[in-house]
């Protein structure tokens, strides 16, 4: 594995590289947006995919029991979380899964809590399902984010039916700890709130181990659906395989019925083979990936601190995303957006799309070769230096 290798992704219909014109009105920006990686998957995964191609038959498919077994083992090995194969429902993506969960577990008009700044599709998922969006803004403290539990309780008390938890949190990179998760569980029990826990980033962690919400003792009697996938971990997003873990059979049956009624397909020979190979044999690759990405983060943080002190950042516990705070530059969102595109020539994710508390921020993806990070920061520094000139 050579994470320094530059792989040309242009003209491969890559969202990150080939949708710049459509999204940013210019195709010569340096792409550090969409949350995928510019790295090749582990060799074992590529080999498994070759084997599927060699076999050459692509009839109707269902994800095999051996994949369920590999997932069960992964949960145990990575998080000391014991689940059963029957707890797994395959889904064609975490966003589609959350959409189905909202539609089957809540009614039109019901309140659903999200915690901005947060992964922006959560807003659309609540709104397109015609549920009521309840925003429990995170609080910034000591350069990181915390949950405002008083406000969370208020929101739950006001009749919220569901909380979409993002753990680890995108874009702030927080791994919610046992104590915080337990507090959420206690409140959810008190006010009868369903928890949809999006844990898609749970393998990309730098400080200790991720704690699955549903693994907590305090979550035992709650209605919890945990959404996970190999897509962020092993760069398999295009294969569209994810899964919901829940030991609540009624919840699971509702989800599965809804997927059937919506003619939602699940998996194909490629996604099953890739996911199983990754979970069974991809851990050494992941260990190296985490070290490489953490070095990228340290490098970016050092350069920001030393060369661009007015650009602050949240040091992530998890995720390969750096949440950068440009507020000291004194620009409104439109001016910041324009400056990043026209002066820095960078394609980042604009902070305000993650909700109001994201105003003045932007998200930079650091899952790329070091030279790509260097170029991105060089561009940012040139624009920054021009701003500082009288
Ligand atoms: C928190 C979170 N959930 C879900 C997704 C997307 O999941 P999927 O591609 O499986 O729909 C992302 C991708 O960036 C994410 O950050």
């Amino acid at each position: 594995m050579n994470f320094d290798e530059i792989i040309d992704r242009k003209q491969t219909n890559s969202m990150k590289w080939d949708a710049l014109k459509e999204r940013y009105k210019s195709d010569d920006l340096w792409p550090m947006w969409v949350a995928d990686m510019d790295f090749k998957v582990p060799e074992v995964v590529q080999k498994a995919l070759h084997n599927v191609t060699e076999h050459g038959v692509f009839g109707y498919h269902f994800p095999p029991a051996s994949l369920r077994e590999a997932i069960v083992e992964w949960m145990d090995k990575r998080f000391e979380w014991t689940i059963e194969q029957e707890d797994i429902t395959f889904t064609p993506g975490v966003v589609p899964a959350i959409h189905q969960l909202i539609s089957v577990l809540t009614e039109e008009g019901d309140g659903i809590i999200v915690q901005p700044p947060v992964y922006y599709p959560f807003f659309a998922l609540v709104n397109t399902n015609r549920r009521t969006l309840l925003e429990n803004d995170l609080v910034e403290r000591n350069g990181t984010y915390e949950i405002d539990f008083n406000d969370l309780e208020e929101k739950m008390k006001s009749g919220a039916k569901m909380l979409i938890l993002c753990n680890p949190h995108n874009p702030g990179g927080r791994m919610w700890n046992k104590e915080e998760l337990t507090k959420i569980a206690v409140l959810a029990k008190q006010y009868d709130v369903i928890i949809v826990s999006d844990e898609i980033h749970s393998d990309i962690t730098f400080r200790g181990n991720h704690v699955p919400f549903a693994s907590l003792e305090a979550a035992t009697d709650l209605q919890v659906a945990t959404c996970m996938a190999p897509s962020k971990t092993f760069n398999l997003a295009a294969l569209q395989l994810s899964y919901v873990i829940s030991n609540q059979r009624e919840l699971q049956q509702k989800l599965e019925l809804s997927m059937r009624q919506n003619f939602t397909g699940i998996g194909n020979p490629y996604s099953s083979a890739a996911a199983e190979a990754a979970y069974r044999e991809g851990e050494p690759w992941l260990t190296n990936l985490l070290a490489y990405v953490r070095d990228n983060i340290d490098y970016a943080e050092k350069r920001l601190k030393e060369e661009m002190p007015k650009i602050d950042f949240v040091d992530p516990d998890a995720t390969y995303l750096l949440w950068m705070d440009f507020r000291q530059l004194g620009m409104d969102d439109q001016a910041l957006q324009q400056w990043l595109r026209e002066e820095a020539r960078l394609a980042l994710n604009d902070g305000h799309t993650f909700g109001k508390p994201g105003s003045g921020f932007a998200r930079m993806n650091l899952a790329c070769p070091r030279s790509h990070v260097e170029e991105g920061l060089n561009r940012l520094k040139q624009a920054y230096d021009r701003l500082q000139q009288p």
Side-chain angles (χ1 to χ4, degrees):
M1 68 204 80
N2 173 12
F3 296 112
D4 285 325
E5 184 187 356
I6 306 290
I7 299 160
D8 188 1
R9 296 183 65 193
K10 282 194 213 124
Q11 293 177 18
T12 63
N13 291 331
S14 144
M15 188 81 82
K16 189 190 276 170
W17 289 84
D18 293 328
L20 284 168
K21 182 122 192 140
E22 185 195 320
R23 174 71 184 268
Y24 292 86
K25 313 275 181 282
S26 167
D27 51 14
D28 74 338
L29 302 184
W30 198 245
M32 301 184 86
W33 58 305
V34 179
D36 67 15
M37 311 201 245
D38 293 325
F39 304 128
K40 268 192 196 168
V41 295
E43 260 174 45
V44 285
V45 172
Q46 248 191 320
K47 190 161 162 268
L49 292 169
H50 279 308
N51 290 344
V52 175
T53 304
E54 282 297 309
H55 185 247
V57 181
F58 302 100
Y60 291 108
H61 173 85
F62 64 91
S66 53
L67 172 56
R68 292 176 183 271
E69 185 186 71
I71 294 171
V72 169
E73 285 171 10
W74 186 261
M75 295 305 143
D76 181 39
K77 187 164 51 168
R78 303 286 301 182
F79 315 126
E80 294 177 7
W81 184 26
T82 307
I83 63 162
E84 304 296 330
Q85 288 188 27
E86 305 76 62
D87 299 343
I88 300 168
T89 300
F90 289 101
T91 50
V94 166
V95 170
I98 299 176
H99 168 67
Q100 306 267 1
L101 287 163
I102 291 175
S103 77
V104 294
L105 300 177
T106 64
E107 305 284 334
E108 202 167 319
D110 280 351
I112 300 187
I113 305 171
V114 300
Q115 298 179 302
V118 75
Y119 180 59
Y120 44 85
F122 288 3
F123 303 112
L125 284 166
V126 175
N127 292 331
T128 54
N129 275 293
R130 297 203 195 85
R131 288 2 180 209
T132 306
L133 186 68
L134 300 173
E135 297 178 73
N136 170 226
D137 290 356
L138 298 179
V139 210
E140 282 178 75
R141 196 163 292 140
N142 304 325
T144 186
Y145 284 103
E146 292 179 6
I147 293 170
D148 180 343
F149 283 101
N150 289 332
D151 181 66
L152 180 61
E153 179 159 13
E154 283 308 311
K155 300 268 155 50
M156 286 193 178
K157 216 189 259 180
S158 75
K161 284 279 158 38
M162 180 181 277
L163 163 66
I164 309 178
L165 187 65
C166 193
N167 183 34
H169 195 84
N170 172 10
R174 268 300 314 273
M175 272 166 78
W176 304 121
N177 61 37
K178 239 184 197 156
E179 199 190 335
E180 290 164 317
L181 294 172
T182 303
K183 271 190 185 175
I184 295 175
V186 169
L187 288 173
K189 179 150 179 81
Q190 189 175 346
Y191 297 104
D192 200 15
V193 173
I194 302 162
I195 305 289
V196 170
S197 190
D198 178 341
E199 304 188 13
I200 196 169
H201 294 278
S202 54
D203 294 312
I204 315 283
T205 57
F206 311 112
R207 291 197 184 107
N209 275 349
H210 165 78
V211 179
F213 180 85
S215 71
L216 294 174
E217 189 129 345
T220 313
D221 318 321
L222 292 177
Q223 289 205 75
V224 186
T226 305
C227 302
M228 286 196 181
S231 51
K232 299 291 162 202
T233 319
F234 294 105
N235 208 21
L236 297 171
L239 297 187
Q240 298 185 307
L241 181 105
S242 65
Y243 45 91
V244 173
I245 300 173
S246 182
N247 62 8
Q248 261 101 37
R249 293 293 170 256
E250 203 185 316
L251 182 157
Q252 192 183 37
Q253 278 159 13
K254 282 185 190 166
L255 170 65
E256 291 180 357
L257 178 66
S258 155
M259 285 177 45
R260 280 200 298 278
Q261 286 172 340
N262 286 290
F263 311 104
T264 310
I266 38 157
N268 58 66
Y270 284 104
S271 58
S272 291
E276 187 169 343
Y279 283 138
R280 289 199 188 279
E281 298 174 82
E283 205 172 23
W285 178 94
L286 177 59
T287 305
N288 287 310
L289 170 92
L290 292 178
Y292 190 91
V293 168
R294 187 62 234 185
D295 279 351
N296 276 353
I297 295 171
D298 291 343
Y299 168 80
E301 291 183 349
K302 185 165 184 290
R303 285 200 58 188
L304 289 171
K305 249 192 220 151
E306 289 175 359
E307 302 170 26
M308 298 166 256
K310 287 188 185 162
I311 304 176
D312 217 337
F313 55 83
V314 178
D315 178 47
D317 305 327
T319 80
Y320 45 68
L321 309 163
L322 189 65
W323 185 233
M324 300 161 79
D325 176 357
F326 294 84
R327 286 173 298 181
Q328 285 180 67
L329 299 184
M331 299 181 209
D332 64 21
D333 284 320
Q334 207 188 341
L336 176 61
Q337 198 167 308
Q338 197 174 349
W339 181 75
L340 288 169
R341 290 165 178 51
E342 293 176 14
E343 294 295 321
R345 311 295 301 151
L346 286 174
L348 307 182
N349 290 87
D350 297 315
H352 64 91
T353 60
F354 295 80
K356 271 191 228 87
S359 192
F361 287 76
R363 195 190 74 179
M364 180 181 265
N365 180 345
L366 295 173
C368 51
R370 174 65 61 83
S371 60
H372 191 91
V373 181
E374 282 170 12
E375 173 64 21
L377 290 165
N378 290 347
R379 287 172 178 231
L380 192 61
K381 168 144 173 56
Q382 280 165 15
Y384 180 90
D385 287 348
R386 283 197 297 275
L387 259 191
Q388 307 306 310
Q389 281 160 13

